[in-house]
Amino acid sequence: MTNIAATTSSSTETAAAPPTTLAKGFVNRLVIIIPYLWLLFFFLVPFIIVFKISLSQTAISMPPYTPVLDFKDGVAGFFAGFRELNFDNYTWLTQDALYFNAYVTSLIIAGISTILTLIVGYPIAYGMARAPATIRPTLLMLVILPFWTSFLIRVYAWIGILKPEGLLNQVLLATGLISQPLVILNTYTAIFIGIVYSYLPFMVLPLYSSLEKMDYSLIEAAQDLGCPPAGAFWKITFPLSLPGVVAGCLLVFIPAVGEFVIPDLLGGSQTLMIGKTLWNEFFSNRDWPVSSAVAVILLLVLTIPIMFFQQAQAKAQEQGR
């Protein structure tokens, strides 16, 4: 009788288990589905719209292009339009050297700015990670503090600092370090300063996250074995912080490639970057198809560093195992 009761009780628990399991499975799937829905509606759908415009032809109308792949003529009209699609706008980008130079210049400026941001941000993040735990929240707040002010206002502030009669030249002239004002505004130097200043928190925060989790007893052990501080840094600290370095570099490099405000305000009218070129095609020339093609190519170019980042993460996870 005891065995029969136990069996009956076990059967009852088994019968009651599936609803709970199904509920947990539904919640787990919902947690996964929500980010994909977000990406679908706010990334994939806008990208498809932009890609569709890039296949259109410029027209004097509103909007200034001829729509393609629509269902106003029914399914037959949709497939007829599909057969007539062409990539003339993308061909045009390869024929005009302006766009190629803009892409290359943007990549070079973004790359140099990323390296400079890493050089400036790594000591800051390292100092924050080694600081006493009681003041780390304050240091984090100081890093994030610039975000409390409008990005545009901060860029305009740099105009007041870097212009010939600005604060920087006044201080240097007053101290006798220079005899005439420096020409910094409307140069690439001003662009580098603006990008490094604006995107520095995006470099510091991932680096701090990696360095703060590091076991510093490894450095002490290396020093006990006779390793100099510089050797311990390059053999232990820097390799362990590589995930933060890669994440920080991507967070700086990707938006810097398509940056428009900083080159336009600090670099002047002669600055050639793809973000500014795209803005001119879209608003000044009213050539939406070509500007959409420029945006599509830019997005495809930026997927390359993202792929490298994913590969680096996969290798780091394999090494961790």
Side-chain angles (χ1 to χ4, degrees):
M1 293 295 293
T2 303
N3 294 334
I4 293 174
T7 304
T8 304
S9 176
S10 177
S11 301
T12 303
E13 293 176 357
T14 304
T20 306
T21 305
L22 290 175
K24 290 182 178 179
F26 175 76
V27 172
N28 292 335
R29 291 177 182 176
L30 185 63
V31 171
I32 298 174
I33 290 173
I34 290 176
Y36 280 102
L37 290 176
W38 178 275
L39 291 175
L40 175 65
F41 287 108
F42 295 100
F43 175 76
L44 184 59
V45 173
F47 174 76
I48 292 174
I49 294 173
V50 172
F51 181 69
K52 178 183 174 182
I53 296 175
S54 70
L55 300 176
S56 307
Q57 298 298 322
T58 305
I60 303 176
S61 61
M62 180 54 70
Y65 64 91
T66 56
V68 295
L69 298 180
D70 53 21
F71 289 93
K72 66 179 182 179
D73 296 328
V75 178
F78 176 84
F79 284 104
F82 187 82
R83 288 191 295 269
E84 296 176 0
L85 287 179
N86 60 74
F87 295 87
D88 292 343
N89 296 318
Y90 294 92
T91 305
W92 170 255
L93 297 183
T94 61
Q95 295 174 351
D96 194 337
L98 172 69
Y99 303 103
F100 178 78
N101 294 334
Y103 280 116
V104 173
T105 304
S106 298
L107 292 173
I108 293 174
I109 291 177
I112 296 175
S113 300
T114 302
I115 295 173
L116 294 175
T117 308
L118 177 62
I119 294 173
V120 175
Y122 201 102
I124 297 175
Y126 186 82
M128 292 169 57
R130 297 303 300 267
T134 55
I135 66 171
R136 289 178 189 174
T138 303
L139 297 176
L140 279 173
M141 185 190 69
L142 293 176
V143 172
I144 303 173
L145 191 62
F147 290 132
W148 296 4
T149 307
S150 171
F151 171 75
L152 193 60
I153 293 176
R154 288 186 281 129
V155 176
Y156 270 112
W158 275 107
I159 296 178
I161 295 173
L162 299 177
K163 62 184 180 180
E165 65 276 12
L167 179 62
L168 178 62
N169 279 313
Q170 289 181 4
V171 172
L172 294 177
L173 288 170
T175 55
L177 296 177
I178 59 175
S179 59
Q180 58 183 0
L182 299 175
V183 179
I184 302 177
L185 192 63
N186 297 332
T187 64
Y188 285 108
T189 302
I191 296 176
F192 293 137
I193 293 174
I195 293 178
V196 171
Y197 165 77
S198 300
Y199 293 108
L200 185 61
F202 294 108
M203 180 67 74
V204 172
L205 295 178
L207 287 172
Y208 169 76
S209 179
S210 296
L211 292 170
E212 194 268 339
K213 298 175 183 178
M214 194 179 68
D215 185 4
Y216 288 96
S217 62
L218 297 174
I219 299 178
E220 296 177 359
Q223 292 176 349
D224 291 340
L225 294 174
C227 184
F233 173 81
W234 289 111
K235 293 179 180 178
I236 299 175
T237 304
F238 189 77
L240 292 177
S241 65
L242 276 179
V245 172
V246 174
C249 289
L250 286 177
L251 289 175
V252 174
F253 178 81
I254 291 175
V257 172
E259 181 60 52
F260 163 71
V261 175
I262 295 175
D264 186 58
L265 295 180
L266 300 182
S269 59
Q270 301 301 319
T271 304
L272 184 64
M273 289 189 70
I274 198 61
K276 191 173 180 180
T277 303
L278 195 154
W279 189 92
N280 289 330
E281 289 291 344
F282 195 87
F283 291 101
S284 299
N285 300 338
R286 301 283 294 173
D287 196 343
W288 288 20
V290 170
S291 61
S292 298
V294 172
V296 171
I297 296 297
L298 178 61
L299 181 62
L300 295 178
V301 169
L302 292 180
T303 57
I304 297 176
I306 295 176
M307 293 173 59
F308 280 116
F309 177 63
Q310 290 178 341
Q311 291 180 355
Q313 277 190 326
K315 290 181 180 180
Q317 291 178 356
E318 291 179 359
Q319 292 177 356
R321 293 175 183 176

